[in-house]
Structures are given as C-alpha cells and as structure tokens.
Amino acid sequence: MREDKLLERFVFFSDAVFAIAITLLIVEIHVPHIARAPTEVHDALQALANNLPNFIGFGVSFAVIGAFWAMHHRVFGLLARHDQSFVWPNLILLMAIAFLPFSTAFMSENTNQVVPHLFYLISLLIAGLLQASLVRRALRPQYLTAGVDPGAVTAIRTRVWALPIVSVIGMIVCLMTRPAYSILVLLTLPIAVRLLIRWSRRR
Amino acid sequence: MREDKLLERFVFFSDAVFAIAITLLIVEIHVPHIARAPTEVHDALQALANNLPNFIGFGVSFAVIGAFWAMHHRVFGLLARHDQSFVWPNLILLMAIAFLPFSTAFMSENTNQVVPHLFYLISLLIAGLLQASLVRRALRPQYLTAGVDPGAVTAIRTRVWALPIVSVIGMIVCLMTRPAYSILVLLTLPIAVRLLIRWSRRR
Amino acid sequence: MREDKLLERFVFFSDAVFAIAITLLIVEIHVPHIARAPTEVHDALQALANNLPNFIGFGVSFAVIGAFWAMHHRVFGLLARHDQSFVWPNLILLMAIAFLPFSTAFMSENTNQVVPHLFYLISLLIAGLLQASLVRRALRPQYLTAGVDPGAVTAIRTRVWALPIVSVIGMIVCLMTRPAYSILVLLTLPIAVRLLIRWSRRR
Amino acid sequence: MREDKLLERFVFFSDAVFAIAITLLIVEIHVPHIARAPTEVHDALQALANNLPNFIGFGVSFAVIGAFWAMHHRVFGLLARHDQSFVWPNLILLMAIAFLPFSTAFMSENTNQVVPHLFYLISLLIAGLLQASLVRRALRPQYLTAGVDPGAVTAIRTRVWALPIVSVIGMIVCLMTRPAYSILVLLTLPIAVRLLIRWSRRR
C-alpha cells in the first residue's frame, strides 16, 4: 500500500474507535422494567426521570467525543503523511477516549457526588491534554499538505486548549459549588473555543 | 488529505455509528436460561415467546435504522463536497440514532405500555426531524455533484418526511387504541414513502 | 461520490456490521468471579469448564460469521456496480447476521437442550438462505466486472448452498441424537463446500 | 472491485475487529454505584480502588491489542496483494483478538489468582503465535510491494516474536512468584522488541 493509503488506514482505525466509544455510551444506561400496575404510567415517567442524569451524561459525552472526533478530522485533513512516531501517541489518545463510557456511567450513576464528577472531569482533562500533545506533534511542517493556510494551523493549535481549560474550570466549580453544576460548565465549550480563537487573533 | 477524502471520512464515521447502533440492538435482549427439567422443551418455547416483543423491537428498529442509513447513503451519494457546517447537524443526528437501542429496549421490555411506546415513537420522530433538517442542508446546489437529476433531489426531499409522519400517526394510534398497535403503523413506512413520492409527482 | 465509491460504502457498511456481530459474540460470555479460598485453583478451572459450551459457541459462530464475511468479500469482489435493489436484501441478511450473537448465547447457555440448538440452527439456515438469495441477485451479468471467469461465478453460486445444507443436517442430528452433536455437524462445513464444488464441476 | 480494493477491504475488516475488541474492553468493567451517605467520598474512592485491577487490565490489554494492530498495519503496509490463503489465518488471528476482552476481564475480576492470570497469558501467547504465523505467510516475495527494504522485512519477522517470549516469561513469573507480577512482565514488551531487533542486527 502507498503512503496515503497507510495514513488513511491509520485515520480509519481511529475513526472506528471514536465511533464505537460514542455509541457504547448508550449501552451503559440501564433499561428500566415497569411492573404492570394501575400506576404504570406514573412508574414509567418516574423511571425515566430517574434516568435523567444518564441521559444528560449520554448527551454531554456524545458531544465531547464528537468534538474530539471533529478535531481529529480537522487536523488529519491538513496532513499529507504520517510516520511511526504518531502511532503510539494516537493509540494513547484513543485509550483515553475508550475510557470515557466508563467515567460517564460512573458520574451518571452517582448523581451529584463529588468524587464521580471529579473523576469524569479528570478523565476529560487527560484526554484533552493527550489530544493537545498529538495535535502539536502532527501539525509540523514536514507532515502538512503543501499550501495549507498557516492561520488554520494556528487556529487549531489554539482551540485544542478549550477542553482542558473548561475541564479545570469544571473541577473548581465541582469542588466549590454543587458537583452537578460542573456539567453546565462543559456546555460552555463552544463559547470557550470562540473566545480562544478571538484572543489568538488579537495577539 | 484531499476534499473528497474528507467527505469520505465524514461519511465513513457516520456509517460506523449506524452500523454499531444497528448491531447493538441485539445486545439489549436478555438471553434466557432454562433449567434442566422434564419441562425443558415447554420452558424454552415459553422463554422464546416471552422474548417475542424483544424480537419484534429488534426487527423494527433494525429496519428503521437501516432506512436511516439507506437515506444517508442516497443523499451523500449525490454530494461532491461538504463543509464544517455539516459536522454538528450530522453528529446530532447520529446521537439520536445511537439513542435508539435504549428506546427500543425500553419499549420491548415493557410490552403494551403507553409511556414506553410513546417514548420510542418520540425518539423516532426526533431522529426523523433531525434527518429532514440535515437533508435540506446537504441537498443545496453548491454541494451537489454536477449533473444530478433535480427529480432525484426532489424525491429525496419528499420521502424524508415519511418517518416523521408515520411516527406521529403511531403516537395517535398508541394513545387511542392499544400501544402495541403503534408498531404495526411503523410497518407501513414503505407504503408511506411511495404515497409521498406519488403525491409529490402530481404537484 | 462516484458509482464505485457508492459500492465501496455499501460494502463498507456491511463489513462493519459483520465485524461488530463477530466481536460481540464475546460480550455474551459471562465472566466468572472466583471467591478467594483454598480451593480457588479448582474453582477457577471448574468455572472455565462450565464456560466450555460458551467457548465452543464463540468459536463456531466466529467461524460461521467469518465464512459469511468471506463469501460477501468474494462476491462483491466480482462486482463493478450495484443498485438500489441490493440495499434491502443486503440489510435483511445483515439483520440475520446481527441476530446470531443472541442465538449463539441462547444455545451456549442451555447446554445440550433441543430447543436452543434447533433455534440456533434455524437462525443459521435463515441467514444462509438470505445469503444464497443475495448472491443470486448480485451475480448477474449486468453487475459483474468485465472479464470475470464464469467458472468462478458458478463455483460461488454452488458453494453458497453448503451452509443451508449443513444446517438442515444439523437439525436432523439434533432431533435424532444428542443436541450437542449438531455442532459437530457444523464443523464439516469446509468439507461440504469442497464436495459441492467437486459435484458441480462433474455436471 | 480491483485487487488493491480487495486488499483494502480485507485490511478494513481486520481493523474494524481490532477497533471493536479494543473498545469493548471498557464494557467489561462494572460501574460502581455509591449509596448517598456521609461516607460517600470515602466509599467512592474505595470503589475506584477496588476497580484498580480492572483499570490496569484495561490499560495493559489496550496496549497489547494496540501493538497487534500496529504490527498488522506495518505488515500489510508492505504488501501489494493478498490471496484467498490469507483469509482464514487472518480470521483465526482476529478470533484470538476478539477473545481478549474476556480473558482480560477474567483476570481483572479475580485479582492475583493463578488460574485467571495463566489463562490470560495463554490467550496472549496463542494470539502472538497466530500473528507470527500470519506474518511469516504474508511477508513472502510474491506479495511484497516492489522495492521494499529487506531489512524492514527481517525486522518485522524478528519483532513479532517479542509478545510470545514475554508471555512465556510472564507465565513463569506467575507460577514462581505472585500472579500479579506477571502483568509487570508484560510492560517490558517495548524493551523486548528493542532487544530482539538489536540481537537480529548483530547476527
């Protein structure tokens, strides 16, 4: 196989792991069984309400893993080649991604508790730092497609810091207010990305 | 990577999520364990009969997710390029698809109950509306391959409404008759597609 | 996307479902937990021995799904194009494949019982017949790559009947001797393929 | 499809199985539920500590399956074609890979017990030997891309023995010291690879 086919296969394997991790999130949600009873409507709504933290965890982690994938898509779209030095940093990032269904379920199963929320945020922080490191390694001149806009490269190098920053703010919020509020902090990720890019353009 | 490779990767990631969601449907079905006894044949048949709603749920959801995939295949087959504005609408559609194994299992585990059936139909309706919105966004002239038949584009824009319409009819049937009948309504999806296309051609 | 890309995507989606179904087989095997005790070595070996039917079911179904994949690989390797008429027959075959982890687990969990073994063999028979039907539909002159050897086409059309035949023989063995022996019949699949091809050449 | 497309599809299917097996590792880890209590912080940390063997098993098996994938990537990157004689040796290797989530969970669930650790190491040894056999079969002159460096071929043929050797050393350590130490032996895999390559160059 040619060099571009090898890059394709490398990217393909990563995509498959992202896709599986993102879809496995739903497997961790327990399906409620409602006894047939005059109260079955109430019981079913109650069971769904009890599952609300799981649904929120599913939605947030789906969006976060989706953002990881979109960044990977964006970065590798700028590359013309890769080499063996990418393989392990990429595998270790994928390990952190594959771990997220567990930390998501641990947080969702233990609503509003400090340790599970911190554990989740730390797992996001680690994945975010591994991604930042991979991005820095990949966006070197020797790998880039000829004619790539240097502004696009700078923008990616900047926006990759949004998730680590938001995770750390989430941890502070988790420890200083209620743990559940830290999830709200994660929802500000798109805003953080925009602020970072605006700040980087000013410099 | 070139632009067509990026579109390929985008489509590939979507395919992987469709494939995983469609195959995970089977994981949610509990495997019955039959005690060794003189009645083991009867007990095994009874256990399979008890699983019948799960098998029906598996079949219906497999067909529905298959139809979502076939539509995605059809739409992206007409495109020559995509841009960043597709990424999130597509990810949100995939989120709704990845959620279907849960709502299928919730419905199948709670045979003929109103809330689980409504919940399933609402999850289908949401996925259907997200798909209609993605299709409208994708089938714009600037993305289409040169020389695509405008009739094919109109047909797709029309048929994408079949699932939302059938889901709403299913909800009405669920509330006014027995919940299990709403699944029969879903089986009319191929007929709804044909009626819609015939109606669109008359106009 | 061009026509060959569409065929690729079609084949890719099928591959992903085959790959997920084949790998999910392991998820259905329950992981034994051994209590710490002076008898832990004996208990662990006993737990593995109890899991033996599950390991055999895993191995047999892995080989069977692998054979389905290899046949799909072989058939679509001869095609130059496909059309919409393939989509649903292929999806229905994939549904039967995605169902196999369930019927495998049902058989393995209920060692040497008639109904679970018959259920498994029937699920194989259905998948085999769906495959034979898809192969007949696909191997028509209008889809074949120019210059394909007609002998190769005939050989595939013949060998696709090996699994249905072996499944039916397995059912007879299951009903007339011990259910577990029907699995031994499945192991003769490679021999059945060779006999069928030899018989077809003689004609 | 052309010959290079068939090789691509073959490699793609393998990649999908590697990706699913590597991601399924997380599904086997049980998510702890912490009761709301004044001791919830302590209980959550305790639950995570109890899961430590599962996290270690996840990390080690992720790295091992990652190494299998990286080797497959490396080997098939040197090939220009494949034939039917590869299909089954490759499927049998994939079977051994798909089995690893089970043997990992069996080891992690039964901390520091001899049988589960030996079982895990034997499953690695078998996968490693199957890989060595596939590599020997694939790296023949008739399949290689023209102009491949013979030194690269020799290096791969040598390094493929690192995992079998390390697994056997792990078994000896498991039987002669504490079972948990055998996992530490696996961590020396990168060192074993380098020693083997250096030794092969000297010869």
Side-chain angles (χ1 to χ4, degrees), chain B residues 3-129:
Chain B
E3 203 163 288
D4 60 326
K5 286 285 166 203
L6 275 176
L7 176 56
E8 244 179 76
R9 186 181 173 187
F10 178 83
V11 156
F12 163 79
F13 179 76
S14 312
D15 278 356
V17 173
F18 282 116
I20 301 157
I22 215 171
T23 320
L24 281 182
L25 291 168
I26 202 69
V27 173
E28 305 276 3
I29 306 187
H30 177 74
V31 177
H33 184 80
I34 317 297
R36 310 245 26 178
T39 60
E40 75 186 37
V41 168
H42 171 268
D43 294 352
L45 292 172
Q46 186 61 49
L48 288 175
N50 291 344
N51 262 342
L52 198 63
N54 296 289
F55 296 152
I56 294 171
F58 169 76
V60 169
S61 284
F62 200 101
V64 167
I65 299 179
F68 272 106
W69 175 78
M71 175 64 89
H72 206 269
H73 183 61
R74 208 185 272 265
V75 169
F76 281 81
L78 302 178
L79 302 190
R81 65 195 67 79
H82 81 309
D83 61 30
Q84 291 290 339
S85 78
F86 282 40
V87 172
W88 283 97
N90 192 59
L91 276 171
I92 292 166
L93 169 61
L94 295 178
M95 195 192 286
I97 298 293
F99 191 75
L100 293 178
F102 176 83
S103 58
T104 305
F106 184 46
M107 175 185 70
S108 308
E109 282 293 310
N110 301 291
T111 330
N112 211 18
Q113 294 190 21
V114 173
V115 175
H117 279 75
L118 273 185
F119 188 80
Y120 177 67
L121 292 161
I122 291 169
S123 72
L124 287 187
L125 176 63
I126 291 171
L129 293 174

Side-chain angles (χ1 to χ4, degrees), chain C residues 154-155 157-158 161 195-203:
Chain C
T154 311
R157 277 174 185 275
T158 308
W161 289 101
L195 287 176
L196 267 173
I197 287 182
R198 192 175 298 171
W199 167 82
S200 118
R201 278 194 194 133
R202 274 202 201 138
R203 280 196 357 180

Side-chain angles (χ1 to χ4, degrees), chain B residues 159-174:
Chain B
R159 72 189 297 158
V160 81
W161 289 101
L163 183 66
I165 292 171
V166 166
S167 306
V168 169
I169 297 175
M171 284 180 216
I172 297 168
V173 168
C174 175

